[in-house]
Amino acid sequence: MTYNIYIPRDTAALANNADKVALLIEKEALQRNLDIHIIRNGSRGLFWLEPLVEVQTPLGRVGFGKVCLEDVGALFDAGFHLGKSEHKLHLGLTEEIPYLAKQQRLTFARAGVIDPVSLDDYAAHDGFKGLQKALNNTPQEIVSAVTDSGLRGRGGAAFPTGIKWQTVLDCPSEQKYIVCNADEGDSGSFADRLVMEADPFMLIEGMIIAGLAVGANQGYIYLRSEYPIAHQILNEAIETAYANNYLGQDIQASGKCFELEVRLGAGAYICGEETSLLESLEGKRGLVRAKPPLPAIEGLFGKPTVINNVLSLAAIPYILDKGAAAYANYGMGRSKGTLPFQLAGNVKQGGLIELAFGTSLNQLLEEFAGGTFTGRPMHAIQVGGPLGAYLPIEQWNTPLDYESFSAIQAVLGHGSIVVFDDSVDMLEQARFSMEFCVAESCGKCTPCRIGSVRGVEVIDKIRAGINPEKNTELLEDLCETMIHGSLCAMGGMTPFPVQSAFKHFAVESQNAGEQ
């Protein structure tokens, strides 16, 4: 009898010796004369359990985690390869682990389930069904489906995807482009990486559909250089897609064409901004462009271009396969569908949680975080990356949707949630926000380039107790100048975490300045 054992090959698992665990399991099985077949799947997103090793049984896959090298021998002794075990790492059926069972996985339904570079595995789990339907639709029918779904950009700006696609479709041009922004640089974010490492064909399918929708025949994935595993897996998947006629000159004998390749960034956070990304993709320094013209009209090499985040494009296959209404049935108000929230920072159970918009931040923390890693009380939460506001406990009941967060002067962004306990120095966090902008600003506009430097200087004066009231007033004026005068969101949003730290944690900041 052959036992199928799943061991993730994603970055989080590899960082916890997944390769060595796989080799040791193979060696141990050989010594025990057991016939095993190891499948290197993606991660389920339960990162505190990585490597999460799963065994196929007649009832489903049974999980064991977190598996360390020293656990392997005892696992075999306990019969883990049979899926029945009293071992302390035994988690029961993986799908019934509460962290997974409570989620609403649409985009991440295959994550951790399939071999990420197996085309057969992808197809067996509803892969390319959306593409097959798209090939039988007109471009306008595809764009209308995306519009009707209510999908909005998942990269931070939350701009309606259908409107962007419609603009590119309506632009007369012999050459158009699809660009995937995979420059995932926000602190605490990892959803894009998980898509690319666990389900790359979904992203490829989404980009092909986008090309069919707007009349583009060339696509680029702009990937951050800090994701070498994602780079490797994407290239494997793209090569397989070409070999099986899903990419190239005659997609599935349809007469339609779409070419795709990966381009690496060079470590600049600012290149997550779409126009800066285009400059970098063209081989130039990553400087922000003034708008208008919009990239949808004059984008890559001056041609109409769809630029979407990984999560936006990854949602497309589901929408085309199941229908716009099926996607729009999730969520609330103008925030339709689901968002993969990425729980990180000082938590016991960091990982990816895909839920429909509308769940409160507090509910998510109570059901999934498992408390802080340090055991101390949670104190401040930063949502939406390094440019997001710090939220005090009074705001944790806010529904996780774009409009509700905008109403409290916060941003949902890419869905990252970073937790801080009560030992955090909020004045230091405010300083970090300005310091981050100093390091990452492209330097094109004065409010961002100079304002962030002055911001650090003013906060240092407040910390030193030098005219704290006067300098706090000066800092507020500086923040308003950056918000209203910066060319892009880098400078325009840097003040958000600074202002929230002073507004909601004023006593702490005052005390820190007096010390």
Side-chain angles (χ1 to χ4, degrees):
M1 179 177 180
T2 300
Y3 303 100
N4 290 326
I5 299 176
Y6 293 79
I7 305 173
R9 61 176 291 192
D10 87 302
T11 297
L14 294 179
N16 284 287
N17 293 318
D19 278 348
K20 292 181 179 179
V21 168
L23 287 172
L24 192 56
I25 286 176
E26 193 171 27
K27 180 180 177 181
E28 192 74 26
L30 185 63
Q31 291 176 348
R32 295 169 185 254
N33 293 317
L34 295 173
D35 184 15
I36 67 167
H37 176 221
I38 293 178
I39 300 103
R40 301 306 299 272
N41 58 321
S43 173
R44 297 266 192 170
L46 284 64
F47 291 138
W48 86 98
L49 292 175
E50 293 294 3
L52 172 60
V53 177
E54 298 179 73
V55 178
Q56 185 67 55
T57 75
L59 297 177
R61 277 155 60 172
V62 174
F64 297 83
K66 165 183 181 179
V67 177
C68 299
L69 294 172
E70 56 269 25
D71 298 318
V72 172
L75 281 169
F76 274 99
D77 291 340
F80 100 107
H81 56 288
L82 301 171
K84 299 177 181 179
S85 175
E86 298 301 321
H87 194 279
K88 62 180 180 180
L89 300 184
H90 180 255
L91 300 168
L93 291 172
T94 308
E95 298 288 346
E96 295 180 2
I97 296 173
Y99 202 94
L100 270 180
K102 293 177 183 178
Q103 298 190 35
Q104 297 159 301
R105 289 204 163 183
L106 306 184
T107 302
F108 287 85
R110 284 178 293 264
V113 176
I114 63 171
D115 174 347
V117 292
S118 169
L119 198 66
D120 291 339
D121 216 354
Y122 181 69
H125 291 81
D126 292 339
F128 291 119
K129 285 188 175 181
L131 175 60
Q132 293 300 332
K133 292 185 179 180
L135 287 169
N136 293 315
N137 287 346
T138 66
Q140 186 58 62
E141 285 173 337
I142 300 171
V143 172
S144 295
V146 173
T147 302
D148 293 344
S149 74
L151 178 66
R152 294 164 69 178
R154 298 292 190 250
F159 188 81
T161 305
I163 294 177
K164 183 181 290 189
W165 286 24
Q166 188 70 59
T167 303
V168 177
L169 173 62
D170 292 342
C171 282
S173 179
E174 292 183 4
Q175 182 64 60
K176 299 178 183 180
Y177 296 101
I178 306 296
V179 175
C180 173
N181 183 349
D183 192 48
E184 184 177 49
D186 285 350
S187 51
S189 64
F190 44 79
D192 290 357
R193 176 182 62 76
L194 196 58
V195 166
M196 294 182 286
E197 293 180 353
D199 198 1
F201 288 115
M202 175 174 59
L203 176 58
I204 293 169
E205 182 180 0
M207 293 188 71
I208 298 169
I209 294 171
L212 295 173
V214 303
N217 60 11
Q218 178 66 55
Y220 295 100
I221 300 173
Y222 186 89
L223 177 67
R224 71 190 308 239
S225 59
E226 297 91 339
Y227 282 174
I229 305 302
H231 188 204
Q232 176 190 346
I233 291 174
L234 277 174
N235 281 335
E236 285 184 50
I238 289 172
E239 183 179 350
T240 300
Y242 269 108
N244 288 271
N245 207 28
Y246 283 100
L247 288 171
Q249 293 299 312
D250 188 20
I251 299 170
Q252 298 297 292
S254 66
K256 305 294 176 62
C257 166
F258 192 75
E259 309 286 347
L260 180 62
E261 62 182 278
V262 179
R263 293 291 178 88
L264 288 179
Y269 178 80
I270 193 60
C271 286
E273 193 279 332
E274 61 180 12
T275 64
S276 181
L277 182 155
L278 292 177
E279 290 288 293
S280 176
L281 198 52
E282 292 178 7
K284 304 171 186 174
R285 179 182 170 194
L287 292 175
V288 174
R289 297 177 183 175
K291 300 176 190 176
L294 297 171
I297 299 170
E298 291 184 28
L300 186 63
F301 303 115
K303 302 298 182 180
T305 303
V306 167
I307 308 178
N308 280 134
N309 168 266
V310 169
L311 296 178
S312 306
L313 290 163
I316 298 301
Y318 180 93
I319 292 168
L320 267 293
D321 177 25
K322 307 298 183 185
Y327 190 80
N329 282 339
Y330 292 88
M332 61 178 288
R334 292 180 55 232
S335 299
K336 301 292 188 183
T338 62
L339 185 66
F341 299 99
Q342 299 125 85
L343 188 56
N346 194 337
V347 290
K348 288 181 180 177
Q349 298 179 171
L352 182 132
I353 304 143
E354 185 176 1
L355 296 171
F357 289 98
T359 301
S360 75
L361 177 59
N362 198 44
Q363 183 180 353
L364 185 147
L365 293 170
E366 287 180 354
E367 292 190 8
F368 295 95
T372 63
F373 185 79
T374 56
R376 299 175 67 96
M378 293 183 187
H379 185 61
I381 313 289
Q382 187 175 37
V383 180
L387 307 181
Y390 293 106
L391 306 182
I393 192 169
E394 295 80 17
Q395 295 183 330
W396 294 357
N397 282 321
T398 303
L400 289 161
D401 72 88
Y402 296 119
E403 282 65 46
S404 296
F405 264 63
S406 178
I408 61 169
Q409 297 180 307
V411 293
L412 198 54
H414 192 50
S416 62
I417 299 171
V418 179
V419 177
F420 299 86
D421 71 12
D422 62 356
S423 67
V424 66
D425 181 343
M426 293 307 297
L427 191 56
E428 176 60 28
Q429 291 303 124
R431 185 187 189 280
F432 168 76
S433 299
M434 285 291 186
E435 188 179 35
F436 181 78
C437 187
V438 172
E440 299 295 346
S441 171
C442 78
K444 188 168 184 177
C445 71
T446 302
C448 180
R449 182 183 71 251
I450 303 300
S452 55
V453 174
R454 295 292 171 258
V456 172
E457 293 173 352
V458 173
I459 292 174
D460 281 344
K461 289 180 180 178
I462 295 172
R463 287 174 63 86
I466 301 172
N467 296 325
E469 291 186 9
K470 181 178 179 181
N471 278 309
T472 299
E473 183 179 347
L474 178 61
L475 181 64
E476 181 59 31
D477 287 345
L478 177 62
C479 285
E480 291 300 315
T481 299
M482 292 178 69
I483 289 171
H484 299 294
S486 296
L487 189 58
C488 81
M490 180 77 235
M493 291 177 63
T494 289
F496 290 1
V498 177
Q499 290 175 318
S500 63
F502 276 83
K503 179 180 179 180
H504 301 300
F505 305 93
V507 175
E508 299 172 32
S509 301
Q510 205 171 44
N511 291 341
E514 293 170 356
Q515 289 176 2

